[in-house]
Amino acid sequence: MNIRGNEALRDKLAAEYVLGTLRGGARRRFEGWMYSDAALRMLVKDWERRLLPMHEFVRAQEPSAQLWRNIEMRLHLKPERSSWHFWRGFGLGTASAAAAAALVLAISMQQLRGPSYDLVATLTDQQAQPALLVKADTRKRLLQVHIVGGAPVPVDRSLQLWAIPKKGAPRSLGVLGAEGRGTFALASSAVGDDVVVLAISLEPRGGSPDPDGPTGPVLYKGPWVRAM
Amino acid sequence: MAFRALYDAAAPKLFGFALRILRKRELAEEALQEGFVSIWHAAPHYEAGLAAPLTWMAAIVRNKALDILRRTDDTVELDHDAFRDEYASTPAEASEMSSDARALAACLARLEGLHRMAIGLAFFHDLSHTEVAQRMSLPVGTVKTWIRRGMERLKSCLSHAEAP
């Protein structure tokens, strides 16, 4: 059977494949087609994206502590006594460790417990180095700023966060504390569809004396994007 | 280290999921262990645009759990009344779910209870159309139709939910 060109059938089979009701010979045939058909693999990915969140309907449960130790052992994550093992394990795992870090960040930003941030911005300096991470939960009206890099701020100055609309004056979202991080109430002016960029300016201590915009240089900026 | 943090963040949810499929702690732990080993190796190839990270990891763990289920086969006891409670109702802890799961729950809630149950049985227990029909004491043709229509409705409902 050739399923190329029959979109309705391809989509139906992809759905049954992910759901699990496609069985036996039909399932093996489908896997054979998937192997040489990238568009079919995309249909499967789409159905996974739709159906797999069902796993969250189940109550979370703690696995035994031994389980992590088994995983650690299988992957040689723990430095072993011999330095040869240590270096080998380290070298092999670097790419996975970096990817795991990115996944942790993505998860903590997207889901699990607490606020669910639906707007995010990574503010970068002029060399495109990330300096601050800004995220907002529009339902809980919460705005959070984390410093991830960037230059230290002189004691007599403050960093101020601005929403830059397509037209009109910048709107102040808050002045960062001395340690550079903070949680603010999210002003509705920050989440309008017309706000596409966030920026940080260097201001006199306590913030810009001008309510309509920064008086100091803009140090960091980045696009304000909808995460979900 | 990062992988430990990833494990801590995701393992309880994924373990609950594996336990729902396999019903036995030792089998669910095996699925989780195999799953995390695969996640470690596959993490550099994860594409953020295609699926939320937890969804991506859940797909991996589910495949491991289904492999184990097929290997051990009919050792998993299925309790009809428990099913009714599990699938006829929609989940309660909505505040803990991702936006994807909330959207899916809302769309599932718009299906009829028995259609939702047929989809849940197939998804969590790797049952064929025939097996779902047996569990629900219904003709297989009915179950096939319900599942096909249910999937079509889910797709259309979710595409509306995704639109900005």
PDB file of all heavy atoms in Angstrom, chain A residues 139-175:
ATOM      1  N   ARG A 139      -0.792  35.508  33.973  1.00  0.00           N
ATOM      2  CA  ARG A 139      -1.990  35.229  34.753  1.00  0.00           C
ATOM      3  C   ARG A 139      -1.803  35.629  36.215  1.00  0.00           C
ATOM      4  O   ARG A 139      -2.670  36.203  36.837  1.00  0.00           O
ATOM      5  CB  ARG A 139      -2.381  33.758  34.647  1.00  0.00           C
ATOM      6  CG  ARG A 139      -3.236  33.494  33.405  1.00  0.00           C
ATOM      7  CD  ARG A 139      -3.648  32.052  33.334  1.00  0.00           C
ATOM      8  NE  ARG A 139      -2.510  31.203  33.658  1.00  0.00           N
ATOM      9  CZ  ARG A 139      -2.545  30.247  34.566  1.00  0.00           C
ATOM     10  NH1 ARG A 139      -3.625  30.007  35.226  1.00  0.00           N
ATOM     11  NH2 ARG A 139      -1.472  29.518  34.784  1.00  0.00           N
ATOM     12  N   LYS A 140      -0.619  35.305  36.757  1.00  0.00           N
ATOM     13  CA  LYS A 140      -0.364  35.684  38.148  1.00  0.00           C
ATOM     14  C   LYS A 140       0.183  37.100  38.256  1.00  0.00           C
ATOM     15  O   LYS A 140       0.467  37.580  39.347  1.00  0.00           O
ATOM     16  CB  LYS A 140       0.608  34.689  38.788  1.00  0.00           C
ATOM     17  CG  LYS A 140       0.020  33.300  38.894  1.00  0.00           C
ATOM     18  CD  LYS A 140       0.818  32.423  39.835  1.00  0.00           C
ATOM     19  CE  LYS A 140       0.143  31.066  40.002  1.00  0.00           C
ATOM     20  NZ  LYS A 140       1.059  29.953  39.881  1.00  0.00           N
ATOM     21  N   ARG A 141       0.392  37.741  37.116  1.00  0.00           N
ATOM     22  CA  ARG A 141       0.901  39.097  37.049  1.00  0.00           C
ATOM     23  C   ARG A 141       2.202  39.244  37.830  1.00  0.00           C
ATOM     24  O   ARG A 141       2.312  40.023  38.774  1.00  0.00           O
ATOM     25  CB  ARG A 141      -0.145  40.110  37.544  1.00  0.00           C
ATOM     26  CG  ARG A 141      -1.528  39.879  36.946  1.00  0.00           C
ATOM     27  CD  ARG A 141      -2.329  41.140  36.841  1.00  0.00           C
ATOM     28  NE  ARG A 141      -1.740  42.088  35.908  1.00  0.00           N
ATOM     29  CZ  ARG A 141      -1.847  41.998  34.580  1.00  0.00           C
ATOM     30  NH1 ARG A 141      -2.484  41.017  34.029  1.00  0.00           N
ATOM     31  NH2 ARG A 141      -1.292  42.924  33.816  1.00  0.00           N
ATOM     32  N   LEU A 142       3.160  38.449  37.414  1.00  0.00           N
ATOM     33  CA  LEU A 142       4.433  38.368  38.106  1.00  0.00           C
ATOM     34  C   LEU A 142       5.551  38.566  37.094  1.00  0.00           C
ATOM     35  O   LEU A 142       5.500  38.015  35.999  1.00  0.00           O
ATOM     36  CB  LEU A 142       4.548  36.956  38.682  1.00  0.00           C
ATOM     37  CG  LEU A 142       5.271  36.752  39.984  1.00  0.00           C
ATOM     38  CD1 LEU A 142       4.477  37.430  41.087  1.00  0.00           C
ATOM     39  CD2 LEU A 142       5.374  35.251  40.260  1.00  0.00           C
ATOM     40  N   LEU A 143       6.528  39.356  37.471  1.00  0.00           N
ATOM     41  CA  LEU A 143       7.664  39.585  36.573  1.00  0.00           C
ATOM     42  C   LEU A 143       8.931  39.279  37.351  1.00  0.00           C
ATOM     43  O   LEU A 143       9.108  39.772  38.466  1.00  0.00           O
ATOM     44  CB  LEU A 143       7.669  41.048  36.134  1.00  0.00           C
ATOM     45  CG  LEU A 143       8.732  41.448  35.124  1.00  0.00           C
ATOM     46  CD1 LEU A 143       8.254  41.105  33.728  1.00  0.00           C
ATOM     47  CD2 LEU A 143       9.027  42.929  35.210  1.00  0.00           C
ATOM     48  N   GLN A 144       9.797  38.431  36.776  1.00  0.00           N
ATOM     49  CA  GLN A 144      11.022  38.074  37.484  1.00  0.00           C
ATOM     50  C   GLN A 144      12.244  38.381  36.656  1.00  0.00           C
ATOM     51  O   GLN A 144      12.267  38.158  35.459  1.00  0.00           O
ATOM     52  CB  GLN A 144      11.014  36.583  37.809  1.00  0.00           C
ATOM     53  CG  GLN A 144      10.553  36.325  39.221  1.00  0.00           C
ATOM     54  CD  GLN A 144      10.975  34.965  39.710  1.00  0.00           C
ATOM     55  OE1 GLN A 144      11.352  34.115  38.914  1.00  0.00           O
ATOM     56  NE2 GLN A 144      10.922  34.778  41.009  1.00  0.00           N
ATOM     57  N   VAL A 145      13.255  38.914  37.329  1.00  0.00           N
ATOM     58  CA  VAL A 145      14.498  39.258  36.646  1.00  0.00           C
ATOM     59  C   VAL A 145      15.638  38.485  37.293  1.00  0.00           C
ATOM     60  O   VAL A 145      15.770  38.471  38.515  1.00  0.00           O
ATOM     61  CB  VAL A 145      14.770  40.773  36.768  1.00  0.00           C
ATOM     62  CG1 VAL A 145      16.053  41.138  36.043  1.00  0.00           C
ATOM     63  CG2 VAL A 145      13.602  41.570  36.205  1.00  0.00           C
ATOM     64  N   HIS A 146      16.435  37.807  36.475  1.00  0.00           N
ATOM     65  CA  HIS A 146      17.632  37.119  36.973  1.00  0.00           C
ATOM     66  C   HIS A 146      18.835  37.655  36.231  1.00  0.00           C
ATOM     67  O   HIS A 146      18.795  37.801  35.010  1.00  0.00           O
ATOM     68  CB  HIS A 146      17.577  35.621  36.668  1.00  0.00           C
ATOM     69  CG  HIS A 146      16.425  34.924  37.292  1.00  0.00           C
ATOM     70  ND1 HIS A 146      16.484  34.365  38.526  1.00  0.00           N
ATOM     71  CD2 HIS A 146      15.164  34.720  36.842  1.00  0.00           C
ATOM     72  CE1 HIS A 146      15.317  33.821  38.822  1.00  0.00           C
ATOM     73  NE2 HIS A 146      14.496  34.032  37.810  1.00  0.00           N
ATOM     74  N   ILE A 147      19.896  37.901  36.980  1.00  0.00           N
ATOM     75  CA  ILE A 147      21.144  38.283  36.328  1.00  0.00           C
ATOM     76  C   ILE A 147      21.906  37.026  35.947  1.00  0.00           C
ATOM     77  O   ILE A 147      22.027  36.117  36.750  1.00  0.00           O
ATOM     78  CB  ILE A 147      21.998  39.147  37.279  1.00  0.00           C
ATOM     79  CG1 ILE A 147      21.493  40.585  37.196  1.00  0.00           C
ATOM     80  CG2 ILE A 147      23.469  39.043  36.945  1.00  0.00           C
ATOM     81  CD1 ILE A 147      22.581  41.628  37.196  1.00  0.00           C
ATOM     82  N   VAL A 148      22.351  36.929  34.721  1.00  0.00           N
ATOM     83  CA  VAL A 148      23.142  35.760  34.327  1.00  0.00           C
ATOM     84  C   VAL A 148      24.553  36.154  33.884  1.00  0.00           C
ATOM     85  O   VAL A 148      25.382  35.310  33.623  1.00  0.00           O
ATOM     86  CB  VAL A 148      22.452  34.959  33.190  1.00  0.00           C
ATOM     87  CG1 VAL A 148      21.195  34.302  33.710  1.00  0.00           C
ATOM     88  CG2 VAL A 148      22.132  35.837  32.000  1.00  0.00           C
ATOM     89  N   GLY A 149      24.813  37.418  33.770  1.00  0.00           N
ATOM     90  CA  GLY A 149      26.142  37.874  33.369  1.00  0.00           C
ATOM     91  C   GLY A 149      26.151  39.377  33.503  1.00  0.00           C
ATOM     92  O   GLY A 149      25.441  39.924  34.336  1.00  0.00           O
ATOM     93  N   GLY A 150      26.916  40.035  32.674  1.00  0.00           N
ATOM     94  CA  GLY A 150      26.875  41.486  32.676  1.00  0.00           C
ATOM     95  C   GLY A 150      27.826  42.107  33.680  1.00  0.00           C
ATOM     96  O   GLY A 150      28.330  41.441  34.584  1.00  0.00           O
ATOM     97  N   ALA A 151      28.049  43.395  33.499  1.00  0.00           N
ATOM     98  CA  ALA A 151      29.030  44.107  34.312  1.00  0.00           C
ATOM     99  C   ALA A 151      28.414  44.506  35.651  1.00  0.00           C
ATOM    100  O   ALA A 151      27.208  44.693  35.748  1.00  0.00           O
ATOM    101  CB  ALA A 151      29.486  45.356  33.559  1.00  0.00           C
ATOM    102  N   PRO A 152      29.228  44.626  36.697  1.00  0.00           N
ATOM    103  CA  PRO A 152      28.714  45.072  37.989  1.00  0.00           C
ATOM    104  C   PRO A 152      28.225  46.523  37.912  1.00  0.00           C
ATOM    105  O   PRO A 152      28.683  47.303  37.074  1.00  0.00           O
ATOM    106  CB  PRO A 152      29.921  44.945  38.918  1.00  0.00           C
ATOM    107  CG  PRO A 152      31.118  44.878  38.024  1.00  0.00           C
ATOM    108  CD  PRO A 152      30.659  44.327  36.712  1.00  0.00           C
ATOM    109  N   VAL A 153      27.283  46.852  38.771  1.00  0.00           N
ATOM    110  CA  VAL A 153      26.708  48.197  38.775  1.00  0.00           C
ATOM    111  C   VAL A 153      27.359  49.020  39.893  1.00  0.00           C
ATOM    112  O   VAL A 153      27.447  48.547  41.021  1.00  0.00           O
ATOM    113  CB  VAL A 153      25.189  48.103  39.025  1.00  0.00           C
ATOM    114  CG1 VAL A 153      24.546  49.478  38.988  1.00  0.00           C
ATOM    115  CG2 VAL A 153      24.551  47.184  38.005  1.00  0.00           C
ATOM    116  N   PRO A 154      27.838  50.230  39.571  1.00  0.00           N
ATOM    117  CA  PRO A 154      28.416  51.078  40.624  1.00  0.00           C
ATOM    118  C   PRO A 154      27.389  51.337  41.735  1.00  0.00           C
ATOM    119  O   PRO A 154      26.185  51.373  41.467  1.00  0.00           O
ATOM    120  CB  PRO A 154      28.744  52.382  39.888  1.00  0.00           C
ATOM    121  CG  PRO A 154      28.757  52.049  38.444  1.00  0.00           C
ATOM    122  CD  PRO A 154      27.850  50.868  38.261  1.00  0.00           C
ATOM    123  N   VAL A 155      27.877  51.534  42.969  1.00  0.00           N
ATOM    124  CA  VAL A 155      26.958  51.642  44.109  1.00  0.00           C
ATOM    125  C   VAL A 155      26.014  52.831  43.996  1.00  0.00           C
ATOM    126  O   VAL A 155      24.911  52.809  44.531  1.00  0.00           O
ATOM    127  CB  VAL A 155      27.712  51.734  45.466  1.00  0.00           C
ATOM    128  CG1 VAL A 155      28.217  50.360  45.854  1.00  0.00           C
ATOM    129  CG2 VAL A 155      28.823  52.757  45.410  1.00  0.00           C
ATOM    130  N   ASP A 156      26.424  53.865  43.294  1.00  0.00           N
ATOM    131  CA  ASP A 156      25.544  55.040  43.223  1.00  0.00           C
ATOM    132  C   ASP A 156      24.613  55.001  42.013  1.00  0.00           C
ATOM    133  O   ASP A 156      23.989  55.979  41.658  1.00  0.00           O
ATOM    134  CB  ASP A 156      26.390  56.322  43.191  1.00  0.00           C
ATOM    135  CG  ASP A 156      27.336  56.331  42.007  1.00  0.00           C
ATOM    136  OD1 ASP A 156      27.632  55.232  41.466  1.00  0.00           O
ATOM    137  OD2 ASP A 156      27.783  57.424  41.599  1.00  0.00           O
ATOM    138  N   ARG A 157      24.530  53.827  41.385  1.00  0.00           N
ATOM    139  CA  ARG A 157      23.660  53.715  40.215  1.00  0.00           C
ATOM    140  C   ARG A 157      22.676  52.559  40.381  1.00  0.00           C
ATOM    141  O   ARG A 157      22.880  51.671  41.209  1.00  0.00           O
ATOM    142  CB  ARG A 157      24.482  53.446  38.941  1.00  0.00           C
ATOM    143  CG  ARG A 157      25.505  54.515  38.621  1.00  0.00           C
ATOM    144  CD  ARG A 157      24.818  55.829  38.293  1.00  0.00           C
ATOM    145  NE  ARG A 157      25.741  56.801  37.734  1.00  0.00           N
ATOM    146  CZ  ARG A 157      26.000  56.904  36.437  1.00  0.00           C
ATOM    147  NH1 ARG A 157      25.404  56.107  35.579  1.00  0.00           N
ATOM    148  NH2 ARG A 157      26.851  57.811  35.999  1.00  0.00           N
ATOM    149  N   SER A 158      21.634  52.560  39.566  1.00  0.00           N
ATOM    150  CA  SER A 158      20.660  51.455  39.555  1.00  0.00           C
ATOM    151  C   SER A 158      20.386  51.042  38.124  1.00  0.00           C
ATOM    152  O   SER A 158      20.499  51.865  37.206  1.00  0.00           O
ATOM    153  CB  SER A 158      19.339  51.899  40.181  1.00  0.00           C
ATOM    154  OG  SER A 158      19.479  52.168  41.543  1.00  0.00           O
ATOM    155  N   LEU A 159      19.986  49.796  37.963  1.00  0.00           N
ATOM    156  CA  LEU A 159      19.521  49.323  36.659  1.00  0.00           C
ATOM    157  C   LEU A 159      18.005  49.423  36.633  1.00  0.00           C
ATOM    158  O   LEU A 159      17.323  49.079  37.596  1.00  0.00           O
ATOM    159  CB  LEU A 159      19.944  47.868  36.427  1.00  0.00           C
ATOM    160  CG  LEU A 159      21.443  47.592  36.322  1.00  0.00           C
ATOM    161  CD1 LEU A 159      21.680  46.095  36.111  1.00  0.00           C
ATOM    162  CD2 LEU A 159      22.064  48.384  35.169  1.00  0.00           C
ATOM    163  N   GLN A 160      17.481  49.935  35.528  1.00  0.00           N
ATOM    164  CA  GLN A 160      16.032  50.066  35.411  1.00  0.00           C
ATOM    165  C   GLN A 160      15.549  49.315  34.174  1.00  0.00           C
ATOM    166  O   GLN A 160      16.163  49.378  33.104  1.00  0.00           O
ATOM    167  CB  GLN A 160      15.657  51.553  35.313  1.00  0.00           C
ATOM    168  CG  GLN A 160      14.154  51.786  35.395  1.00  0.00           C
ATOM    169  CD  GLN A 160      13.807  53.238  35.720  1.00  0.00           C
ATOM    170  OE1 GLN A 160      14.702  54.082  35.823  1.00  0.00           O
ATOM    171  NE2 GLN A 160      12.530  53.526  35.886  1.00  0.00           N
ATOM    172  N   LEU A 161      14.440  48.596  34.359  1.00  0.00           N
ATOM    173  CA  LEU A 161      13.878  47.770  33.276  1.00  0.00           C
ATOM    174  C   LEU A 161      12.750  48.515  32.578  1.00  0.00           C
ATOM    175  O   LEU A 161      11.871  49.079  33.231  1.00  0.00           O
ATOM    176  CB  LEU A 161      13.372  46.445  33.869  1.00  0.00           C
ATOM    177  CG  LEU A 161      12.746  45.441  32.914  1.00  0.00           C
ATOM    178  CD1 LEU A 161      13.763  44.921  31.904  1.00  0.00           C
ATOM    179  CD2 LEU A 161      12.147  44.265  33.698  1.00  0.00           C
ATOM    180  N   TRP A 162      12.782  48.495  31.261  1.00  0.00           N
ATOM    181  CA  TRP A 162      11.798  49.226  30.460  1.00  0.00           C
ATOM    182  C   TRP A 162      11.126  48.322  29.440  1.00  0.00           C
ATOM    183  O   TRP A 162      11.769  47.453  28.853  1.00  0.00           O
ATOM    184  CB  TRP A 162      12.476  50.362  29.679  1.00  0.00           C
ATOM    185  CG  TRP A 162      13.215  51.343  30.524  1.00  0.00           C
ATOM    186  CD1 TRP A 162      14.516  51.247  30.921  1.00  0.00           C
ATOM    187  CD2 TRP A 162      12.701  52.558  31.088  1.00  0.00           C
ATOM    188  NE1 TRP A 162      14.847  52.336  31.707  1.00  0.00           N
ATOM    189  CE2 TRP A 162      13.748  53.157  31.820  1.00  0.00           C
ATOM    190  CE3 TRP A 162      11.456  53.192  31.041  1.00  0.00           C
ATOM    191  CZ2 TRP A 162      13.595  54.361  32.500  1.00  0.00           C
ATOM    192  CZ3 TRP A 162      11.298  54.401  31.716  1.00  0.00           C
ATOM    193  CH2 TRP A 162      12.361  54.975  32.443  1.00  0.00           C
ATOM    194  N   ALA A 163       9.835  48.565  29.216  1.00  0.00           N
ATOM    195  CA  ALA A 163       9.132  47.979  28.076  1.00  0.00           C
ATOM    196  C   ALA A 163       9.187  49.016  26.966  1.00  0.00           C
ATOM    197  O   ALA A 163       8.830  50.175  27.179  1.00  0.00           O
ATOM    198  CB  ALA A 163       7.685  47.675  28.443  1.00  0.00           C
ATOM    199  N   ILE A 164       9.646  48.586  25.789  1.00  0.00           N
ATOM    200  CA  ILE A 164       9.750  49.523  24.664  1.00  0.00           C
ATOM    201  C   ILE A 164       8.633  49.213  23.675  1.00  0.00           C
ATOM    202  O   ILE A 164       8.672  48.187  22.998  1.00  0.00           O
ATOM    203  CB  ILE A 164      11.115  49.391  23.942  1.00  0.00           C
ATOM    204  CG1 ILE A 164      12.270  49.324  24.946  1.00  0.00           C
ATOM    205  CG2 ILE A 164      11.289  50.508  22.930  1.00  0.00           C
ATOM    206  CD1 ILE A 164      12.585  50.614  25.641  1.00  0.00           C
ATOM    207  N   PRO A 165       7.629  50.065  23.591  1.00  0.00           N
ATOM    208  CA  PRO A 165       6.546  49.813  22.626  1.00  0.00           C
ATOM    209  C   PRO A 165       6.977  50.212  21.219  1.00  0.00           C
ATOM    210  O   PRO A 165       7.980  50.901  21.043  1.00  0.00           O
ATOM    211  CB  PRO A 165       5.423  50.707  23.126  1.00  0.00           C
ATOM    212  CG  PRO A 165       6.103  51.801  23.869  1.00  0.00           C
ATOM    213  CD  PRO A 165       7.435  51.288  24.356  1.00  0.00           C
ATOM    214  N   LYS A 166       6.195  49.739  20.240  1.00  0.00           N
ATOM    215  CA  LYS A 166       6.525  50.086  18.852  1.00  0.00           C
ATOM    216  C   LYS A 166       6.465  51.602  18.657  1.00  0.00           C
ATOM    217  O   LYS A 166       7.241  52.173  17.910  1.00  0.00           O
ATOM    218  CB  LYS A 166       5.550  49.396  17.896  1.00  0.00           C
ATOM    219  CG  LYS A 166       5.843  47.925  17.723  1.00  0.00           C
ATOM    220  CD  LYS A 166       4.828  47.299  16.770  1.00  0.00           C
ATOM    221  CE  LYS A 166       4.817  45.779  16.892  1.00  0.00           C
ATOM    222  NZ  LYS A 166       3.506  45.199  16.581  1.00  0.00           N
ATOM    223  N   LYS A 167       5.482  52.215  19.327  1.00  0.00           N
ATOM    224  CA  LYS A 167       5.342  53.666  19.220  1.00  0.00           C
ATOM    225  C   LYS A 167       5.259  54.259  20.618  1.00  0.00           C
ATOM    226  O   LYS A 167       4.765  53.591  21.532  1.00  0.00           O
ATOM    227  CB  LYS A 167       4.051  54.027  18.480  1.00  0.00           C
ATOM    228  CG  LYS A 167       4.150  53.947  16.976  1.00  0.00           C
ATOM    229  CD  LYS A 167       2.838  54.464  16.385  1.00  0.00           C
ATOM    230  CE  LYS A 167       2.652  53.932  14.967  1.00  0.00           C
ATOM    231  NZ  LYS A 167       1.257  53.988  14.564  1.00  0.00           N
ATOM    232  N   GLY A 168       5.694  55.477  20.785  1.00  0.00           N
ATOM    233  CA  GLY A 168       5.512  56.163  22.058  1.00  0.00           C
ATOM    234  C   GLY A 168       6.667  55.944  23.016  1.00  0.00           C
ATOM    235  O   GLY A 168       7.666  55.304  22.682  1.00  0.00           O
ATOM    236  N   ALA A 169       6.499  56.472  24.230  1.00  0.00           N
ATOM    237  CA  ALA A 169       7.592  56.500  25.204  1.00  0.00           C
ATOM    238  C   ALA A 169       7.770  55.131  25.858  1.00  0.00           C
ATOM    239  O   ALA A 169       6.810  54.380  26.007  1.00  0.00           O
ATOM    240  CB  ALA A 169       7.276  57.542  26.270  1.00  0.00           C
ATOM    241  N   PRO A 170       9.010  54.801  26.257  1.00  0.00           N
ATOM    242  CA  PRO A 170       9.250  53.574  27.032  1.00  0.00           C
ATOM    243  C   PRO A 170       8.471  53.620  28.351  1.00  0.00           C
ATOM    244  O   PRO A 170       8.197  54.694  28.872  1.00  0.00           O
ATOM    245  CB  PRO A 170      10.750  53.616  27.305  1.00  0.00           C
ATOM    246  CG  PRO A 170      11.312  54.541  26.289  1.00  0.00           C
ATOM    247  CD  PRO A 170      10.234  55.539  25.976  1.00  0.00           C
ATOM    248  N   ARG A 171       8.090  52.443  28.846  1.00  0.00           N
ATOM    249  CA  ARG A 171       7.368  52.375  30.117  1.00  0.00           C
ATOM    250  C   ARG A 171       8.232  51.656  31.136  1.00  0.00           C
ATOM    251  O   ARG A 171       8.732  50.571  30.871  1.00  0.00           O
ATOM    252  CB  ARG A 171       6.070  51.593  29.932  1.00  0.00           C
ATOM    253  CG  ARG A 171       5.163  52.182  28.887  1.00  0.00           C
ATOM    254  CD  ARG A 171       4.207  51.129  28.373  1.00  0.00           C
ATOM    255  NE  ARG A 171       3.543  51.596  27.153  1.00  0.00           N
ATOM    256  CZ  ARG A 171       2.936  50.791  26.289  1.00  0.00           C
ATOM    257  NH1 ARG A 171       2.938  49.479  26.512  1.00  0.00           N
ATOM    258  NH2 ARG A 171       2.363  51.271  25.216  1.00  0.00           N
ATOM    259  N   SER A 172       8.374  52.268  32.309  1.00  0.00           N
ATOM    260  CA  SER A 172       9.198  51.656  33.348  1.00  0.00           C
ATOM    261  C   SER A 172       8.503  50.440  33.933  1.00  0.00           C
ATOM    262  O   SER A 172       7.308  50.467  34.224  1.00  0.00           O
ATOM    263  CB  SER A 172       9.471  52.668  34.459  1.00  0.00           C
ATOM    264  OG  SER A 172      10.133  51.998  35.511  1.00  0.00           O
ATOM    265  N   LEU A 173       9.258  49.336  34.079  1.00  0.00           N
ATOM    266  CA  LEU A 173       8.689  48.125  34.693  1.00  0.00           C
ATOM    267  C   LEU A 173       9.204  47.929  36.110  1.00  0.00           C
ATOM    268  O   LEU A 173       8.653  47.153  36.872  1.00  0.00           O
ATOM    269  CB  LEU A 173       9.029  46.900  33.854  1.00  0.00           C
ATOM    270  CG  LEU A 173       8.499  46.909  32.422  1.00  0.00           C
ATOM    271  CD1 LEU A 173       8.906  45.645  31.690  1.00  0.00           C
ATOM    272  CD2 LEU A 173       6.989  47.058  32.409  1.00  0.00           C
ATOM    273  N   GLY A 174      10.299  48.627  36.437  1.00  0.00           N
ATOM    274  CA  GLY A 174      10.822  48.485  37.789  1.00  0.00           C
ATOM    275  C   GLY A 174      12.301  48.798  37.850  1.00  0.00           C
ATOM    276  O   GLY A 174      12.993  48.803  36.826  1.00  0.00           O
ATOM    277  N   VAL A 175      12.747  49.078  39.053  1.00  0.00           N
ATOM    278  CA  VAL A 175      14.167  49.352  39.270  1.00  0.00           C
ATOM    279  C   VAL A 175      14.747  48.147  40.005  1.00  0.00           C
ATOM    280  O   VAL A 175      14.189  47.697  41.012  1.00  0.00           O
ATOM    281  CB  VAL A 175      14.352  50.633  40.098  1.00  0.00           C
ATOM    282  CG1 VAL A 175      15.825  50.871  40.396  1.00  0.00           C
ATOM    283  CG2 VAL A 175      13.754  51.824  39.355  1.00  0.00           C
TER     284      VAL A 175
END
